[in-house]
Amino acid sequence: MIRIGIVGGTGYTGVELLRLLAAHPQARIEIITSRSEEGVRVVDMYPSLRGHYDDLAFSVPDTATLGQCDVVFFATPHGVAHELAAELLATGTRIIDLSADFRLRDADLWAKWYGQPHGAPQLLEQAVYGLPEVNRDAIRNARLIAVPGCYPTSVQLGLIPLLEAGLAQPGSLIADCKSGVSGAGRGAKVSSLFSETTESMKAYGVSGHRHLPEIVQGLERAAGQQVGLTFVPHLTPMIRGIHSTLYAQVPDRSVDLQQLFEQRYADEPFVDVMPAGSHPETRSVRGANMCRLAIHRPQDGDLVVVLAVIDNLVKGASGQAIQNMNIALGLDERLGLEHPALMP
Amino acid sequence: MIRIGIVGGTGYTGVELLRLLAAHPQARIEIITSRSEEGVRVVDMYPSLRGHYDDLAFSVPDTATLGQCDVVFFATPHGVAHELAAELLATGTRIIDLSADFRLRDADLWAKWYGQPHGAPQLLEQAVYGLPEVNRDAIRNARLIAVPGCYPTSVQLGLIPLLEAGLAQPGSLIADCKSGVSGAGRGAKVSSLFSETTESMKAYGVSGHRHLPEIVQGLERAAGQQVGLTFVPHLTPMIRGIHSTLYAQVPDRSVDLQQLFEQRYADEPFVDVMPAGSHPETRSVRGANMCRLAIHRPQDGDLVVVLAVIDNLVKGASGQAIQNMNIALGLDERLGLEHPALMP
Amino acid sequence: MIRIGIVGGTGYTGVELLRLLAAHPQARIEIITSRSEEGVRVVDMYPSLRGHYDDLAFSVPDTATLGQCDVVFFATPHGVAHELAAELLATGTRIIDLSADFRLRDADLWAKWYGQPHGAPQLLEQAVYGLPEVNRDAIRNARLIAVPGCYPTSVQLGLIPLLEAGLAQPGSLIADCKSGVSGAGRGAKVSSLFSETTESMKAYGVSGHRHLPEIVQGLERAAGQQVGLTFVPHLTPMIRGIHSTLYAQVPDRSVDLQQLFEQRYADEPFVDVMPAGSHPETRSVRGANMCRLAIHRPQDGDLVVVLAVIDNLVKGASGQAIQNMNIALGLDERLGLEHPALMP
Amino acid sequence: MIRIGIVGGTGYTGVELLRLLAAHPQARIEIITSRSEEGVRVVDMYPSLRGHYDDLAFSVPDTATLGQCDVVFFATPHGVAHELAAELLATGTRIIDLSADFRLRDADLWAKWYGQPHGAPQLLEQAVYGLPEVNRDAIRNARLIAVPGCYPTSVQLGLIPLLEAGLAQPGSLIADCKSGVSGAGRGAKVSSLFSETTESMKAYGVSGHRHLPEIVQGLERAAGQQVGLTFVPHLTPMIRGIHSTLYAQVPDRSVDLQQLFEQRYADEPFVDVMPAGSHPETRSVRGANMCRLAIHRPQDGDLVVVLAVIDNLVKGASGQAIQNMNIALGLDERLGLEHPALMP
């Protein structure tokens, strides 16, 4: 059995790790931490888990105990993994960080977008960006894995086939993304209240969202050159799901884009290129570690539209984290991640 | 592997059977029927199942093929199982009927509530009411199982401990039940449209709902005498979930009701008696084969309030059907039904 | 024009007062207060009001300014009106309090349920309970009006015809009430988050809710004797709306209940007795100052079921407050309150 | 009083006309037609209107009666107005058509997109496109008004200031639009069911939507030249609201776009240019005849993002229809349309 620790288990990505790992045949949660909920039983906070983790309670983070785990997940706000990572890595455990702490290669860029100095720049060298469809080999040997953000996962999976093939004009990409409310976390904020979000739609962060540099970093890696991206996130009245509508100028009509995407992801267990003409729904991936894609060229023009859907808490966070764990530990990548979406 | 047939697979209970059976280690769907969708691939109708049933297509019901299955589920409107059951049973297969066709013991009562003659009264003798918490032994040997309705499951599980113990006054029981919209099925009806149901709540069928005689039959069996029940169902703006708020006069205060319920369900894998003072949420069972209960005696009065939640498509339909299958085939009752609820 | 002050205008009942008063031909908001938002323009906080209150900003409560108003509404948490009422009444203005501060006649009972001493017991004598259908004459001369709570409005309107007529057995009344999430206010609480409340239903406060003594007080007044009430509130995934399902033993079958209700409310502009057999939906009163009722006697038994729907923010709060204002000032009671519900 | 007829009053735009006209001081509904609901009282179908139209029942369309109205609204599927318009216009009444029948100037283009011949090409000459912000003078004298579609209203209002000023490159415009489910109408379709649409987001019609040629026609009129538009509509889990996110290349940075928009719409009662940096929410216009706009230039790049929100049933249909009526009859344009949005 894999001994697992979770730092910061009270938020949505934390409870989602618990939900998914309950179905993982080789996982055992050894410790889950929360300063604010110390001593509280997990099932008292999350009755949906009754019968699964009846003996587990939140405890205060403690390097010694965490260090005895094979894998430690960080499901924490940014900054926390910076603080604890070096000490933990020294114990020999692996870290899979769901926060933004190690996603950007450039510490200064991180500092600029997060408004505070990078807390562990010396670890960036060994940090691996955990997007398996791009980085699987590096993940296999990684001890410190940065799980991609939810928006970045969907946007990268939707655009990199075009960029790797040199087909998309890199200067004017657009990602119009719609996210469910759980993406804003479980914090008590007026803007996340039911009565403030349901039955309404809005854009936010149009002037600049923290996922922008992460997406650009990934797209530039795929393109091998600078890219220009306009990223407009929207808040949508649903709990889970991201729908990314991606626009790219692809003047070359000689390439069969459907085939290009199908070949790019032929061996990927968690990317599904849908038949030509499809319109993927976010509910088709609800609760599932899957990204579904569809490629359109409306009115046969220069502009290609890629539709990409994921569950922000699964392929956009906790499911992808477990996929990384499976790869890093040499297990079947699909372990614990094969159940279908909950539909309806 | 268990060879499984599904008659009428295009509705919500049909696709829910597919979703749940995808995680069942011993199940293999041999055939799924639909007259209206003949030839359509299951995954083209339900993209959420892509990767799970890629080779399965809907076909026209055919007794010969269905007869080669170990189990045939009926996920059909009432009346269909009446027509096909006798012929199918003759082939030696087992039938697990999710419709109302064999739930009532009394063919005349059935005819009265469903407005048509009972189509197979000669089979009532062998039909077993598939509520495992009451009827497990009979299910073990059953060849024709009537899966309880969604409302009846939650109401019976919530009230039978009081009735079996002779504590509740049987004449004035009340079941105030709130159901998600999926309970109305996948039929194209104006009354089930998003714009007609979201952001609103209403009662319906107050003068008489078809689940009433089924509930009464079950409660009378538990009470060993006639019961009087007022049943008021409500339509609630959520996809899944039933919340039954049950009221019973229990003048005797000498019995510890919490303990009574805990003991009654101590060995039940799919009934969860929550701690005293709890308020179960329907989301705590979303997608899970579980009934969670809480018992209250407000202001220490004579009236006891039992709160019971289930997912109408799982413990209220397809999950319970699989639980019945597991029991009938001598398998571990929990196979394929152990994943936690999807929360949030 | 009526000069109006609003104390505590940032919550849902505050903004609802603004919305409704924008359509009132004789109302002019002179001052709206909020300590936390001092100086913020109302339309910057509530862009839905742009074009209506462009010059209005939140200010710190100030008795002198408030005292120059004809009417001061309190849309505050409990306790605030206790503090300010005496001083304000001394200026000659009228107070219409949407909080719970003056709803209970008994200061000790108030103290027990609210966990703090009553802050203005000397004013209880002159406080009038603002349920116009019961208390219209007293409201006409009132200077201090306690607007009923949302649950209490719907439960009282649904049960008092039976109690006034001496038809309902007073000892075993049940109010099973379902409320939208806005009833929990605009405070930043985890339990009111979209991802915690949508797609789920739960009961709460079964052991005792603060609206219970208020309802009992009103029902006892109607019955002329003690009543026993079990009150179970539920949280429903919708913004607005209360659906109260009321149960009463009415053994006497000689009275035409439909007629009884129609006569009781014949002259009431804001109570709508629907045709026999109806199932009112909460959306039929969304945004409207209206209570719709339907009366059922299922299976012709002793138990009568009354269905009552209101919009908790309108007839359950701000609309009823304005109705009280109109009555108190001798205006047409319907002024500003006649627009139909928003449907769909 | 203005005598009003409504043809096809059972759908959402029909009932929305009724809701809005109930608050119009000079409107009187003389006749409302529906073949399928002949004889049904309006308030029995729409209880939200009880007390407002108690004596009105649906009748079969009849030119003689309709012809006695001052204005006849068509709230019908496409094709119906084609059939009846000529005969009705001959009676001297005015027609305000909410359907697509007279929106396109080019009968062949109409035939291509609607898959049937245009039924009244001879009337196109006199048909006026009813977007007041562009066409007010023509509306004043019009006898046949084509009310713009919901998507076209929001997209045109958001882009025409840039196109009229010659600032946007006309060849690569993008409209990423999100609509509530009521836009799909009140027809009984599986794809509009609550359980099929809530908690999910999807694009649809990416290869071509019928509103595309209407939008292009309007944008080309503003630009004075051909435009290229990619239009991607999305279905969003809310009843009402359209959020259009509009992308245009505007390389010239010398113009203050905020000022440009504010001046363009300075005298428009139903277009609200929000302060720089705003993110309008659809709920801020729920139930209101208003379009709110915000202009962004992310990362100070060439691409300008305009956010435009409307209520699809109001400024996108019935409200705009009434606005047209007011203009055509020489009334104050705002009559009956001034109430604020319903928020929350």
Side-chain angles (χ1 to χ4, degrees):
Chain A
M1 297 297 278
I2 309 160
R3 292 162 300 170
I4 291 175
I6 299 178
V7 179
T10 63
Y12 290 140
T13 55
V15 66
E16 187 71 354
L17 281 170
L18 292 173
R19 182 182 75 87
L20 293 165
L21 290 170
H24 194 294
Q26 300 191 26
R28 195 174 61 209
I29 314 286
E30 297 287 336
I31 177 172
I32 185 163
T33 79
S34 162
R35 290 190 185 281
S36 60
E37 305 293 334
E38 189 193 352
V40 174
R41 292 203 315 158
V42 163
V43 296
D44 288 342
M45 188 161 192
Y46 293 118
S48 57
L49 297 173
R50 285 171 61 89
H52 292 277
Y53 298 102
D54 291 349
D55 299 329
L56 193 66
F58 295 105
S59 61
V60 168
D62 156 39
T63 314
T65 320
L66 287 169
Q68 288 164 14
C69 294
D70 299 305
V71 177
V72 175
F73 292 98
F74 278 78
T76 43
H78 63 85
V80 178
H82 280 173
E83 255 179 71
L84 300 179
E87 197 182 348
L88 260 182
L89 287 171
T91 68
T93 191
R94 271 185 179 76
I95 291 178
I96 300 182
D97 178 21
L98 285 81
S99 86
D101 279 8
F102 296 101
R103 291 180 193 157
L104 299 183
R105 311 290 316 156
D106 180 336
D108 292 340
L109 189 65
W110 194 96
K112 178 187 151 202
W113 281 90
Y114 289 85
Q116 61 189 76
H118 195 286
Q122 79 285 4
L123 297 178
L124 283 174
E125 185 80 18
Q126 63 175 298
V128 170
Y129 188 69
L131 191 62
E133 293 77 7
V134 163
N135 234 4
R136 187 170 281 108
D137 286 344
I139 294 167
R140 261 193 260 280
N141 304 300
R143 304 208 68 82
L144 173 55
I145 296 172
V147 181
C150 49
Y151 288 124
T153 295
S154 64
V155 177
Q156 289 177 80
L157 292 176
L159 287 178
I160 56 178
L162 296 174
L163 292 169
E164 287 174 350
L167 288 167
Q169 292 183 354
S172 56
L173 303 167
I174 295 174
D176 188 293
C177 299
K178 299 88 177 167
S179 172
V181 182
S182 66
R186 198 166 161 273
K189 292 178 290 189
V190 169
S191 58
S192 298
L193 293 180
F194 178 87
S195 301
E196 299 290 313
T197 54
T198 200
E199 285 291 306
S200 194
M201 158 68 78
K202 68 168 177 181
Y204 66 100
V206 178
S207 63
H209 182 285
R210 284 170 172 171
H211 282 178
L212 177 62
E214 180 186 347
I215 301 173
V216 169
Q217 171 184 284
L219 298 183
E220 294 189 338
R221 175 181 167 154
Q225 59 177 302
Q226 271 206 316
V227 307
L229 172 73
T230 299
F231 168 47
V232 179
H234 299 72
L235 192 66
T236 309
M238 57 190 183
I239 302 176
R240 290 163 178 257
I242 285 181
H243 186 294
S244 289
T245 312
L246 309 168
Y247 301 89
Q249 296 284 347
V250 181
D252 182 352
R253 276 170 188 69
S254 67
V255 180
D256 181 332
L257 297 181
Q258 179 71 22
Q259 201 178 47
L260 176 82
F261 274 74
E262 287 179 1
Q263 286 175 353
R264 175 60 179 84
Y265 293 124
D267 299 327
E268 288 300 339
F270 297 122
V271 180
D272 174 26
V273 180
M274 297 187 71
S278 295
H279 297 98
E281 304 175 84
T282 60
R283 65 179 184 143
S284 78
V285 297
R286 179 163 52 215
N289 195 54
M290 183 61 65
C291 176
R292 298 197 203 277
L293 298 171
I295 304 98
H296 293 258
R297 192 189 276 278
Q299 284 82 53
D300 200 32
D302 280 0
L303 202 71
V304 164
V305 179
V306 181
L307 311 174
V309 300
I310 60 170
D311 182 324
N312 55 304
L313 295 180
V314 192
K315 185 62 177 165
S318 304
Q320 186 145 267
I322 293 169
Q323 187 182 355
N324 273 284
M325 177 188 82
N326 288 340
I327 297 171
L329 298 180
L331 305 173
D332 181 336
E333 189 169 337
R334 296 165 299 183
L335 272 188
L337 298 171
E338 292 191 283
H339 53 283
L342 188 75
M343 204 290 299
Chain B
M1 297 297 278
I2 309 160
R3 293 163 300 170
I4 291 175
I6 300 177
V7 179
T10 62
Y12 290 141
T13 55
V15 65
E16 187 70 354
L17 281 170
L18 292 173
R19 182 183 75 87
L20 291 166
L21 290 170
H24 194 293
Q26 301 192 25
R28 194 174 61 208
I29 314 286
E30 298 287 336
I31 177 173
I32 184 165
T33 79
S34 163
R35 290 190 185 280
S36 62
E37 305 293 333
E38 188 192 355
V40 173
R41 291 202 315 157
V42 164
V43 295
D44 289 343
M45 188 160 191
Y46 292 118
S48 57
L49 296 173
R50 285 172 61 87
H52 292 278
Y53 297 102
D54 291 349
D55 299 329
L56 193 66
F58 294 105
S59 60
V60 167
D62 156 40
T63 313
T65 319
L66 287 169
Q68 288 163 16
C69 295
D70 300 305
V71 177
V72 175
F73 291 99
F74 278 79
T76 44
H78 64 86
V80 179
H82 280 174
E83 255 180 72
L84 301 179
E87 196 181 349
L88 259 182
L89 287 172
T91 69
T93 190
R94 270 185 179 76
I95 291 178
I96 300 181
D97 178 22
L98 284 80
S99 86
D101 279 7
F102 297 101
R103 291 181 192 157
L104 298 184
R105 313 288 318 155
D106 179 338
D108 293 339
L109 190 64
W110 194 95
K112 177 187 151 201
W113 281 92
Y114 289 86
Q116 62 190 74
H118 195 286
Q122 79 285 6
L123 298 178
L124 283 174
E125 185 82 16
Q126 62 177 298
V128 171
Y129 189 68
L131 190 62
E133 292 77 7
V134 163
N135 234 5
R136 188 169 281 109
D137 287 343
I139 294 167
R140 261 193 260 281
N141 304 301
R143 304 209 67 82
L144 173 56
I145 297 171
V147 181
C150 48
Y151 287 123
T153 295
S154 63
V155 177
Q156 288 176 80
L157 292 177
L159 286 178
I160 56 177
L162 296 174
L163 293 169
E164 288 173 349
L167 289 167
Q169 293 184 353
S172 57
L173 302 167
I174 295 175
D176 188 293
C177 299
K178 300 87 176 170
S179 172
V181 182
S182 66
R186 198 167 160 272
K189 292 178 290 189
V190 170
S191 58
S192 299
L193 294 180
F194 179 87
S195 302
E196 298 290 313
T197 54
T198 200
E199 287 290 307
S200 194
M201 158 69 78
K202 68 167 177 183
Y204 66 100
V206 177
S207 63
H209 182 287
R210 284 170 173 172
H211 282 178
L212 176 63
E214 179 187 348
I215 301 173
V216 168
Q217 170 183 284
L219 297 183
E220 293 189 337
R221 176 181 168 152
Q225 59 176 303
Q226 270 207 317
V227 307
L229 173 72
T230 299
F231 168 47
V232 180
H234 299 74
L235 191 66
T236 310
M238 57 190 185
I239 301 176
R240 291 163 177 258
I242 285 181
H243 186 293
S244 290
T245 312
L246 309 168
Y247 301 87
Q249 295 284 348
V250 182
D252 182 350
R253 278 170 186 69
S254 68
V255 181
D256 180 333
L257 298 181
Q258 180 72 21
Q259 201 178 46
L260 176 82
F261 274 75
E262 287 179 2
Q263 286 175 352
R264 174 60 179 85
Y265 293 124
D267 299 327
E268 289 300 337
F270 298 123
V271 180
D272 174 26
V273 180
M274 297 187 71
S278 294
H279 298 96
E281 305 175 84
T282 60
R283 65 178 185 143
S284 78
V285 297
R286 180 163 51 215
N289 194 55
M290 183 60 66
C291 174
R292 297 197 203 278
L293 299 171
I295 304 96
H296 293 257
R297 191 189 277 278
Q299 283 83 53
D300 200 33
D302 280 358
L303 202 70
V304 164
V305 179
V306 181
L307 311 174
V309 300
I310 60 169
D311 182 324
N312 55 305
L313 295 179
V314 192
K315 184 62 177 164
S318 305
Q320 186 145 268
I322 294 169
Q323 186 182 356
N324 273 283
M325 176 187 83
N326 288 340
I327 297 170
L329 298 180
L331 305 173
D332 181 336
E333 189 169 337
R334 296 164 300 181
L335 271 188
L337 298 172
E338 291 192 283
H339 54 283
L342 188 75
M343 204 288 302
Chain C
M1 297 295 279
I2 309 160
R3 292 162 299 167
I4 291 174
I6 299 177
V7 179
T10 62
Y12 290 140
T13 54
V15 66
E16 187 70 354
L17 281 171
L18 292 174
R19 181 182 76 85
L20 293 166
L21 290 171
H24 194 293
Q26 301 192 25
R28 192 172 63 207
I29 314 286
E30 298 287 335
I31 176 172
I32 185 164
T33 79
S34 163
R35 291 191 183 281
S36 61
E37 305 293 335
E38 187 192 353
V40 174
R41 291 202 317 157
V42 163
V43 295
D44 288 343
M45 188 160 191
Y46 292 117
S48 58
L49 297 174
R50 284 171 63 88
H52 292 278
Y53 298 101
D54 291 349
D55 298 329
L56 192 66
F58 294 105
S59 60
V60 168
D62 157 40
T63 313
T65 320
L66 288 169
Q68 289 164 13
C69 294
D70 299 306
V71 177
V72 175
F73 292 99
F74 278 78
T76 44
H78 63 85
V80 178
H82 280 174
E83 256 179 73
L84 301 179
E87 196 181 348
L88 260 181
L89 288 172
T91 69
T93 190
R94 270 186 180 76
I95 291 179
I96 300 181
D97 178 22
L98 286 80
S99 86
D101 279 8
F102 296 102
R103 291 180 193 156
L104 299 183
R105 312 288 319 154
D106 179 336
D108 292 339
L109 189 65
W110 194 95
K112 177 187 152 201
W113 281 91
Y114 290 85
Q116 62 191 71
H118 195 287
Q122 79 284 5
L123 298 177
L124 283 174
E125 185 81 17
Q126 63 176 297
V128 171
Y129 188 68
L131 190 63
E133 292 78 7
V134 164
N135 235 3
R136 187 170 280 109
D137 286 343
I139 294 168
R140 262 192 260 280
N141 304 300
R143 304 208 67 83
L144 172 56
I145 298 172
V147 181
C150 48
Y151 287 124
T153 295
S154 64
V155 177
Q156 288 177 79
L157 292 177
L159 288 178
I160 56 177
L162 296 174
L163 292 168
E164 288 173 349
L167 289 167
Q169 292 185 353
S172 57
L173 303 168
I174 295 175
D176 188 292
C177 300
K178 300 86 176 168
S179 171
V181 183
S182 66
R186 197 165 161 270
K189 293 179 288 189
V190 169
S191 59
S192 298
L193 294 180
F194 179 88
S195 302
E196 299 291 312
T197 53
T198 199
E199 287 290 307
S200 194
M201 160 67 78
K202 68 167 177 183
Y204 66 100
V206 178
S207 63
H209 182 286
R210 284 170 172 172
H211 283 177
L212 177 61
E214 180 186 346
I215 302 173
V216 169
Q217 170 185 282
L219 298 182
E220 294 189 338
R221 175 182 168 152
Q225 60 177 300
Q226 269 208 316
V227 308
L229 172 73
T230 299
F231 169 46
V232 179
H234 299 73
L235 191 65
T236 309
M238 56 190 186
I239 301 176
R240 289 164 179 257
I242 285 182
H243 187 294
S244 289
T245 312
L246 309 168
Y247 301 89
Q249 296 284 347
V250 182
D252 182 351
R253 277 170 187 69
S254 67
V255 180
D256 182 333
L257 298 181
Q258 180 71 24
Q259 202 178 44
L260 176 81
F261 274 75
E262 288 179 0
Q263 286 174 352
R264 175 61 179 82
Y265 294 124
D267 299 327
E268 289 299 338
F270 298 122
V271 179
D272 174 27
V273 180
M274 297 187 71
S278 296
H279 297 96
E281 305 174 84
T282 61
R283 64 178 186 145
S284 78
V285 296
R286 180 163 50 216
N289 194 54
M290 185 59 66
C291 175
R292 297 197 203 277
L293 299 170
I295 304 97
H296 293 257
R297 191 189 278 277
Q299 283 82 55
D300 200 30
D302 280 358
L303 202 69
V304 164
V305 179
V306 181
L307 311 173
V309 300
I310 60 169
D311 182 324
N312 54 304
L313 296 179
V314 192
K315 184 62 176 163
S318 305
Q320 186 144 268
I322 293 169
Q323 186 181 355
N324 273 284
M325 177 187 82
N326 288 341
I327 297 170
L329 298 180
L331 306 173
D332 181 336
E333 188 169 339
R334 295 165 299 181
L335 272 190
L337 298 172
E338 291 192 284
H339 54 283
L342 188 75
M343 205 290 301
Chain D
M1 297 297 279
I2 309 160
R3 292 162 300 168
I4 291 176
I6 299 178
V7 179
T10 63
Y12 290 140
T13 55
V15 64
E16 187 71 355
L17 281 170
L18 292 174
R19 182 183 74 86
L20 292 166
L21 290 170
H24 194 293
Q26 302 191 24
R28 193 174 63 208
I29 314 285
E30 298 287 337
I31 176 171
I32 184 164
T33 80
S34 163
R35 291 191 184 281
S36 61
E37 305 294 334
E38 187 193 354
V40 174
R41 291 202 315 156
V42 163
V43 295
D44 288 342
M45 189 161 191
Y46 292 118
S48 58
L49 297 173
R50 285 171 62 87
H52 292 279
Y53 297 102
D54 291 349
D55 298 330
L56 193 66
F58 294 105
S59 59
V60 169
D62 157 40
T63 313
T65 319
L66 288 169
Q68 288 163 13
C69 294
D70 299 305
V71 177
V72 175
F73 291 99
F74 278 79
T76 44
H78 63 85
V80 178
H82 281 175
E83 255 179 73
L84 301 179
E87 196 181 349
L88 260 182
L89 286 172
T91 68
T93 190
R94 272 186 177 75
I95 291 178
I96 300 182
D97 178 22
L98 285 81
S99 86
D101 279 9
F102 296 102
R103 292 180 193 157
L104 298 183
R105 314 285 321 152
D106 179 336
D108 293 340
L109 189 66
W110 194 94
K112 178 186 151 202
W113 281 91
Y114 289 85
Q116 63 190 72
H118 195 287
Q122 79 285 4
L123 298 178
L124 283 174
E125 185 81 18
Q126 63 177 297
V128 170
Y129 189 69
L131 191 62
E133 292 78 8
V134 164
N135 234 5
R136 188 170 280 108
D137 286 342
I139 294 167
R140 263 194 259 278
N141 304 300
R143 305 207 67 82
L144 173 55
I145 297 173
V147 181
C150 49
Y151 287 125
T153 296
S154 64
V155 177
Q156 289 177 79
L157 292 177
L159 287 178
I160 56 177
L162 296 174
L163 292 168
E164 288 174 350
L167 288 167
Q169 293 184 354
S172 56
L173 302 168
I174 295 174
D176 188 292
C177 300
K178 300 87 177 167
S179 172
V181 182
S182 65
R186 198 165 162 273
K189 292 178 290 189
V190 170
S191 58
S192 299
L193 294 180
F194 179 87
S195 301
E196 299 290 313
T197 53
T198 199
E199 286 291 304
S200 193
M201 158 67 79
K202 69 168 177 182
Y204 66 100
V206 178
S207 63
H209 182 286
R210 284 169 172 173
H211 283 178
L212 178 61
E214 179 187 347
I215 301 173
V216 168
Q217 169 184 285
L219 298 183
E220 293 189 336
R221 173 181 170 155
Q225 60 176 301
Q226 271 208 315
V227 307
L229 172 73
T230 299
F231 168 48
V232 179
H234 298 75
L235 191 66
T236 309
M238 56 190 186
I239 301 176
R240 291 162 177 259
I242 284 183
H243 186 294
S244 290
T245 313
L246 309 168
Y247 300 89
Q249 296 284 347
V250 182
D252 182 351
R253 276 170 189 68
S254 67
V255 179
D256 181 333
L257 298 181
Q258 179 72 22
Q259 203 178 45
L260 177 82
F261 274 74
E262 287 178 1
Q263 286 174 353
R264 175 62 179 82
Y265 293 125
D267 299 327
E268 289 299 340
F270 297 122
V271 180
D272 174 26
V273 180
M274 296 186 72
S278 295
H279 297 97
E281 304 175 85
T282 60
R283 66 177 184 144
S284 79
V285 296
R286 179 163 50 217
N289 194 54
M290 184 60 66
C291 175
R292 297 197 202 277
L293 299 171
I295 304 97
H296 293 258
R297 191 188 277 278
Q299 284 82 54
D300 199 31
D302 280 359
L303 203 70
V304 164
V305 179
V306 181
L307 311 174
V309 300
I310 59 170
D311 183 323
N312 53 304
L313 295 180
V314 191
K315 184 62 179 163
S318 305
Q320 186 146 265
I322 293 169
Q323 187 182 356
N324 274 282
M325 177 187 82
N326 289 340
I327 297 171
L329 298 181
L331 306 172
D332 181 335
E333 188 169 339
R334 296 164 299 182
L335 272 188
L337 299 172
E338 291 191 284
H339 54 284
L342 188 75
M343 205 290 300

